[in-house]
Structure formats: structure tokens, C-alpha cells
């Protein structure tokens, strides 16, 4: 990281004619790194820091590519780096980030399926319980209180609807 910080400082020290685009790219990468509002906040372990590093390296790579070859070589040498190191570090960070995102996606997928299965089981059990209660209510006699006046011997109940005399 200290070498990349030196490289960024050297690019920012260039004059506007030599590296205007490169300076803007480094400033954009630096702004992303410093501003706490980003898609993967820093409090998320590993991924929060990895995305900042990924954007910073990407911005430095683009800034270097926008410079003429002799100037690029000189800046890399002054920072203690070379083009091969920058590319290998970029690939390492990119592949690490990709692997972590894929692994996180798999875990999220599995958790989602487990939650869906649990919800389906809960819904099935709740539905069966409700159906049993509704069926039990249908089988009970539906007689309003006070509607049956009594039964004579061997005749069954005499029920009269309410409101009639």
C-alpha cells in the first residue's frame, strides 16, 4: 500500500498538461476510498475494505494507462513498482473479490431456500390447523340459543325461528 500511495501522490503532482485525465482518475479513486457512502460499507468484514481497494487499484491502473509510456515507466520506478506488479496485484484483488462475492451469493441462496422451506412448512401446518378447526365447526349443530323450546317424548326438538309467534 505505501508504494501505491507514493504512485498516487506522484500522479497527483503531475502538471495538468501531462496528466489531467490521470489526476482526475486518481482523485475519483481517492474520493471513493475516503467517502463512507459506498455499496459495501466498511463495517462489513473483508468485503467492505476489499471493494475500496478494488476501486483504488482500478483507478490507478486507468490513470497509468492514460499516461504516455515513458512517463508511466518513470512514475512506477520512482514509486518502487513495475507494470507487472500492478497487474498481478490487480488480478489478485479482483479474483479475491469475485470469489468472496460468489461464496456470499451461494450462502445467501442457501439461506433463502431454507427460509422458503421453513415458511412453506409453517404455512402448510397453519393451513391444516385452520382447516381442521373449520371442519369441526361445520359438524356441530347450528342452533341459536333459545330457539329450541324443548322436546316431547319420542318426538325430537321443536324449534321455532326467531321473530315469529
Amino acid at each position: 500500500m505505501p508504494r501505491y500511495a507514493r504512485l498516487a501522490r506522484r500522479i497527483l503532482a503531475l502538471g495538468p498538461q501531462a496528466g489531467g485525465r490521470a489526476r482526475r482518475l486518481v482523485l475519483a479513486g481517492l474520493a471513493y476510498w475516503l467517502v463512507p457512502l459506498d455499496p459495501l460499507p466498511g463495517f462489513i468484514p473483508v468485503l467492505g475494505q476489499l471493494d475500496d481497494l478494488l476501486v483504488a487499484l482500478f483507478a490507478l491502473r486507468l490513470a497509468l494507462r492514460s499516461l504516455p509510456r515513458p512517463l508511466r515507466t518513470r512514475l512506477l520506478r520512482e514509486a518502487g513498482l513495475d507494470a507487472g506488479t500492478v497487474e498481478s496485484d490487480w488480478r489478485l484483488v479482483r479474483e479475491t473479490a469475485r470469489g468472496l462475492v460468489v461464496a456470499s451469493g451461494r450462502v445467501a441462496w442457501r439461506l433463502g431456500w431454507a427460509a422458503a422451506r421453513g415458511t412453506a412448512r409453517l404455512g402448510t401446518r397453519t393451513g391444516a390447523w385452520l382447516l381442521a378447526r373449520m371442519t369441526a365447526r361445520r359438524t356441530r349443530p347450528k342452533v341459536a340459543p333459545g330457539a329450541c323450546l324443548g322436546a316431547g317424548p319420542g318426538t325430537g326438538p321443536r324449534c321455532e325461528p326467531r321473530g315469529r309467534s
Side-chain angles (χ1 to χ4, degrees):
M1 283 307 292
R3 291 179 182 171
Y4 287 106
R6 272 195 303 267
L7 178 62
R9 251 192 343 261
R10 294 192 187 284
I11 292 173
L12 289 173
L14 292 174
Q17 295 82 12
R21 181 170 189 260
R23 290 174 65 201
R24 287 190 301 273
L25 287 166
V26 170
L27 285 173
L30 187 62
Y32 184 87
W33 187 59
L34 291 175
V35 174
L37 302 173
D38 55 6
L40 293 170
F43 63 81
I44 297 174
V46 182
L47 284 177
Q49 292 78 30
L50 194 61
D51 81 313
D52 293 341
L53 183 60
L54 190 68
V55 169
L57 277 175
F58 183 69
L60 276 173
R61 275 181 75 234
L62 286 179
L64 284 171
R65 288 181 178 189
S66 72
L67 295 172
R69 185 177 293 266
L71 181 58
R72 178 183 340 155
T73 307
R74 188 191 74 181
L75 289 172
L76 285 169
R77 190 179 35 196
E78 289 173 355
L81 293 166
D82 62 10
T85 304
V86 173
E87 287 302 313
S88 67
D89 287 349
W90 162 250
R91 278 194 302 273
L92 175 69
V93 171
R94 186 186 67 201
E95 292 306 315
T96 302
R98 182 180 292 157
L100 284 171
V101 167
V102 167
S104 300
R106 285 183 184 143
V107 168
W109 181 262
R110 288 180 183 147
L111 286 174
W113 268 109
R117 282 193 305 268
T119 304
R121 272 192 225 119
L122 179 64
T124 303
R125 288 179 184 164
T126 304
W129 177 77
L130 284 172
L131 183 63
R133 287 196 46 119
M134 290 172 60
T135 305
R137 285 187 180 178
R138 282 188 201 148
T139 58
R140 284 192 299 204
K142 295 182 180 178
V143 178
C148 292
L149 301 175
T155 60
R158 288 183 295 147
C159 296
E160 306 213 2
R162 288 185 178 192
R164 288 191 196 172
S165 43

